[in-house]
Amino acid sequence: MAIFVDENTKVVYQGLTGSQGSFYGLRNRDYGTQVVAGVNPKKAGTDVDGIPVYATVAEAKEATGATVSCVFIPAPGVKAAVLEAAEAGMDLVVVITEGVPAQDEAYFFNKVKRDFPGTRILGPNCPGIISPGKANIGITAGEIALPGGPVGIVSRSGTLTYQALYELKLQGIGVTTCVGIGGDPVPGTSFIDCLEAFEADPDTKAVMLIGEIGGSAEEEAAEFIKTKMTKPVSAYIAGVTAPPGKKMGHAGAIVSGGKGTAAAKMEALTDAGVKVGNNPTEAGELMVEIVKGL
Amino acid sequence: MDLLEYQGKQFFAQYGIPVSPGEAVTTVEDAVAAAERIGYPVVVKAQVHVGGRGKAGGVKLAANVDEVREHAGNIIGLDIKGHVVKTIWIEFASDIAEEYYASFTLDRSAKKHLGMLSAQGGVEIETVAEEDPDAIAKIWIDPVDGLTEAAAREWVLAAKLNPDATDGAVDILLKLYTAYTEGDADLCEINPLILKPTGEVHALDAKVTLDGNAQYRHEGWEEYEATQVRDDREQAAYDKGLQYVGLEGSVGVIANGAGLAMSTVDIVNQVGGKPANFLDIGGGANAEVMAGALEVINNDPDVKSIFINIFGGITKGDEVANGIVTALGRVKIDAPIVIRIDGTNAEEGRAILAEHESDMLQSKPTMLEAARTAVELAK
């Protein structure tokens, strides 16, 4: 099993006709993902390499039965795209786009939560989600992940996620699902949402968590792990030596007022029984030990 | 993007928030002329992107033209925690009866907007939060609903301001919320928010951080961009559109992805080195971007070695390697380079680099080994 998406998931791509959307949409289809439709009101009736394009998400859903949407719309249009997907009744909206204004994110997160509680948002500014061997929705290179299990991965960083997938593959360890939640201030899906799903997934036996400085999401995850999780967890936090007050690339990655430091996050996770590595390789090695002991 | 105080006040004024009349100037003569126009007494205030101006002598009251001349002369060029004052703000001095604190920011845990209001203003809010947390009245606002007048009034009453300030505070807070949301700010803070003896409520300071991602829908933000403080290295990187943060060390760092770049800075520290910078070249590491990144690092005189850390995902290792080789043909690099390429097509990438290996360019299979080598070379 996998969490959130699998081989039966039908996906519609908002922005499939754009350069990014068509590149990754077709790549995801090559991987085996059921890419059933694209959306572009100006190009309805056309197709992208055989994938039909509809005017709206609702029409795409009606015609294809898609339940997941993947958003490759430029930042100014993301708010409207997410709300359209939620209104059309998508179960999951994966937002790859980076550079979305924080006020837009705060608005559509709360709007969707209240008016469309059946819709989960993943991202924005995330690499997407991959259930290796089953479905790959987003920009992760599918070939760096080994299908199967027993490990689930949840990460706030793109390249470090790839690093984690690859290190586990080199060790011969498979992954059930790898979720990139993204580094923005208002992520639609949190660490806790993923940990909860992994805890409930019978095929996931252990979880790897990759966090970074800023905010308190890792501390909240630690509390959840401590009180609600039975499965073992390994973790890595990037930004141990980041200077306070300087944004390190991600909008969320900043240490301010002494809050959000890597040290505090690592301590909270260690206290929750998580095996915390000092670098991505070490976190991978810790996971190898965990898997051997399962 | 942090605004200077005077920019923050101009930003507030656009949303109808009462601020003192004033002028931003860069010379003593202009300061005098501004003060003559505004009328005395005036306050002469250093405009820097750092707190603690008052203690550093960057805020002075002037009762007449001689005092303006004296204070402006002292403050222009003053070094406040490494920030040299270029611009000063001359504003009419307000009579103050009471000082309050007000702000809006995003509560990332609650995923709602957080308003904070306190009758204890003029001091650092962190200090109030620690010593007397009950003195801060908080309100969480759902962005879909916004801030209603009734909620604002209840919030003001909870903060126990002087009853004379209630109506003025409600009015300012509603406008401040509009400035924060419609103005695409990450932070809007007024400290102090003052009650004048005459009963008006007024923003005496302005601390505003704007969300750079929203620049496309606002006119005039280029002006704020122009006053951002960057060192030469940061400016060069900014001009090339690279995500760069200057640090103090000797190992230049180039990586793809913010997380990996942060992780690379960490690992250099862990093996006993000091990174010179954080530099994220983003997803597609083509020759153009790599050449630009190498130029920025090369122009940093403190850099003694360069660590390029690439994880190929969608970007293939061989393409990255070709990019590096092309970049090296374009830019003459003074410091030795250590490269680690892993992930998709890493072996092909390493094979390409092997043909170009020398004392000045070597490839290592893991992040840790590459970090150790780069740190050793920087010694």
Side-chain angles (χ1 to χ4, degrees):
Chain A
M1 260 176 75
I3 68 167
F4 303 144
V5 299
D6 61 23
E7 65 274 26
N8 299 316
T9 306
K10 290 180 177 163
V11 193
V12 51
Y13 284 65
Q14 292 172 266
L16 182 71
T17 52
S19 63
Q20 296 270 306
S22 59
F23 180 79
Y24 292 112
L26 294 176
R27 210 175 243 277
N28 289 169
R29 185 179 66 175
D30 289 346
Y31 187 80
T33 311
Q34 290 202 45
V35 180
V36 296
V39 171
N40 182 337
K42 289 180 194 139
K43 297 189 178 167
T46 65
D47 72 274
V48 173
D49 200 29
I51 304 165
V53 176
Y54 300 88
T56 64
V57 178
E59 283 171 36
K61 183 192 178 189
E62 176 72 33
T64 64
T67 55
V68 171
S69 158
C70 185
V71 177
F72 276 100
I73 303 277
V78 165
K79 182 172 153 185
V82 170
L83 292 175
E84 186 193 334
E87 226 161 284
M90 291 292 117
D91 295 339
L92 175 67
V93 186
V94 181
V95 189
I96 307 299
T97 313
E98 63 178 322
V100 178
Q103 294 286 350
D104 288 4
E105 291 181 17
Y107 182 87
F108 66 65
F109 175 85
N110 283 286
K111 178 82 175 163
V112 169
K113 190 178 159 197
R114 179 192 304 186
D115 294 346
F116 310 101
T119 300
R120 166 184 300 288
I121 301 168
L122 177 61
N125 189 18
C126 78
I129 177 168
I130 174 170
S131 294
K134 296 174 175 167
N136 183 11
I137 302 166
I139 61 175
T140 305
E143 57 272 26
I144 59 171
L146 196 66
V151 178
I153 299 176
V154 58
S155 169
R156 239 169 99 181
S157 153
T159 31
L160 287 176
T161 314
Y162 310 154
Q163 175 81 39
L165 280 169
Y166 189 67
E167 300 232 359
L168 293 182
K169 184 185 179 182
L170 290 180
Q171 302 284 346
I173 296 173
V175 170
T176 50
T177 300
C178 173
V179 192
I181 61 174
D184 270 10
V186 194
T189 292
S190 68
F191 279 127
I192 292 176
D193 296 332
C194 298
L195 292 171
E196 210 166 18
F198 281 133
E199 176 72 13
D201 173 33
D203 289 343
T204 302
K205 310 284 187 205
V207 180
M208 192 164 173
L209 181 151
I210 298 164
E212 59 187 32
I213 51 165
S216 56
E218 290 79 3
E219 285 87 337
E220 288 153 22
E223 183 60 29
F224 179 85
I225 292 166
K226 196 175 178 177
T227 54
K228 305 269 171 63
M229 271 191 90
T230 59
K231 297 176 181 177
V233 181
S234 81
Y236 169 68
I237 307 291
V240 176
T241 55
K246 299 234 177 191
K247 256 186 208 176
M248 297 296 242
H250 283 164
I254 184 167
V255 173
S256 50
K259 295 261 171 66
T261 64
K265 292 172 187 300
M266 289 163 81
E267 198 186 311
L269 288 163
T270 305
D271 183 52
V274 175
K275 302 227 177 298
V276 183
N278 285 312
N279 53 60
T281 309
E282 210 177 292
E285 285 164 358
L286 290 168
M287 184 45 80
V288 173
E289 277 172 38
I290 289 174
V291 171
K292 276 184 192 156
L294 286 173
Chain B
M1 185 163 55
D2 294 334
L3 302 195
L4 292 166
E5 176 199 356
Y6 80 91
Q7 295 169 329
K9 285 182 171 168
Q10 289 166 352
F11 176 80
F12 282 174
Q14 289 170 28
Y15 294 93
I17 296 166
V19 293
S20 307
E23 293 181 34
V25 297
T26 55
T27 67
V28 174
E29 286 320 307
D30 287 349
V32 168
E36 293 287 315
R37 278 191 291 271
I38 294 162
Y40 299 96
V42 294
V43 187
V44 181
K45 302 177 92 173
Q47 300 297 293
V48 282
H49 290 287
V50 62
R53 291 178 299 172
K55 277 185 195 158
V59 180
K60 295 283 182 188
L61 188 67
N64 53 54
V65 66
D66 291 337
E67 288 183 11
V68 169
R69 197 177 294 281
E70 183 194 338
H71 295 319
N74 289 336
I75 294 174
I76 293 171
L78 184 69
D79 186 319
I80 301 176
K81 297 179 186 169
H83 294 245
V84 178
V85 180
K86 288 183 191 152
T87 303
I88 53 174
W89 171 248
I90 313 291
E91 79 172 15
F92 186 71
S94 301
D95 288 330
I96 301 170
E98 293 188 14
E99 294 185 293
Y100 309 134
Y101 170 96
S103 71
F104 288 105
T105 187
L106 176 74
D107 179 338
R108 286 166 50 180
S109 294
K111 296 177 174 178
K112 296 215 171 1
H113 298 312
L114 170 64
M116 292 197 281
L117 181 64
S118 176
Q120 297 182 25
V123 291
E124 278 198 23
I125 197 65
E126 287 85 357
T127 313
V128 179
E130 248 170 56
E131 290 170 2
D132 190 5
D134 293 341
I136 303 172
K138 295 181 178 176
I139 184 171
W140 279 269
I141 304 158
D142 188 317
V144 180
D145 299 327
L147 178 63
T148 62
E149 183 171 348
R153 192 162 291 275
E154 199 177 312
W155 177 32
V156 169
L157 293 176
K160 299 191 177 67
L161 309 186
N162 187 319
D164 291 348
T166 305
D167 288 342
V170 168
D171 181 57
I172 285 192
L173 291 169
L174 289 170
K175 287 170 175 165
L176 188 65
Y177 182 76
T178 305
Y180 165 72
T181 50
E182 289 178 15
D184 276 306
D186 289 333
L187 168 73
C188 279
E189 182 182 86
I190 306 175
N191 190 20
L193 174 73
I194 59 162
L195 173 66
K196 293 184 185 179
T198 45
E200 295 106 0
V201 182
H202 184 98
L204 201 60
D205 197 5
K207 191 174 174 193
V208 175
T209 304
L210 298 177
D211 176 4
N213 284 344
Q215 182 155 1
Y216 72 88
R217 60 188 178 198
H218 295 280
E219 306 230 338
W221 281 23
E222 298 78 15
E223 203 181 309
Y224 304 142
E225 193 54 65
T227 54
Q228 296 301 303
V229 177
R230 296 191 182 92
D231 65 25
D232 292 347
R233 303 174 298 172
E234 288 173 337
Q235 189 59 46
Y238 177 80
D239 292 341
K240 291 184 198 306
L242 298 167
Q243 294 281 343
Y244 180 98
V245 177
L247 303 169
E248 308 291 320
S250 57
V251 179
V253 167
I254 298 174
N256 65 330
L260 189 64
M262 246 191 287
S263 186
T264 309
V265 166
D266 286 349
I267 209 160
V268 167
N269 272 302
Q270 278 167 17
V271 298
K274 289 273 172 254
N277 65 278
F278 161 101
L279 200 169
D280 168 18
I281 54 170
N286 62 35
E288 184 82 12
V289 176
M290 187 56 83
L294 281 169
E295 266 173 38
V296 169
I297 302 277
N298 199 41
N299 288 338
D300 182 345
D302 293 337
V303 167
K304 301 284 179 275
S305 71
I306 301 170
F307 177 11
I308 302 178
N309 190 9
I310 302 291
F311 190 88
I314 288 291
T315 313
K316 300 262 194 285
D318 49 343
E319 288 167 16
V320 176
N322 279 324
I324 292 169
V325 171
T326 312
L328 288 176
R330 259 190 247 175
V331 191
K332 193 194 166 305
I333 305 298
D334 303 324
I337 299 173
V338 183
I339 304 173
R340 171 261 186 175
I341 295 185
D342 217 334
T344 312
N345 289 5
E347 277 177 33
E348 292 87 333
R350 286 182 211 139
I352 291 164
L353 291 172
E355 294 166 26
H356 299 270
E357 286 209 16
S358 68
D359 290 351
M360 294 303 283
L361 177 67
Q362 44 184 312
S363 164
K364 296 283 169 190
T366 70
M367 201 160 149
L368 204 57
E369 276 177 69
R372 288 203 178 106
T373 308
V375 168
E376 197 54 43
L377 286 169
K379 278 181 184 160

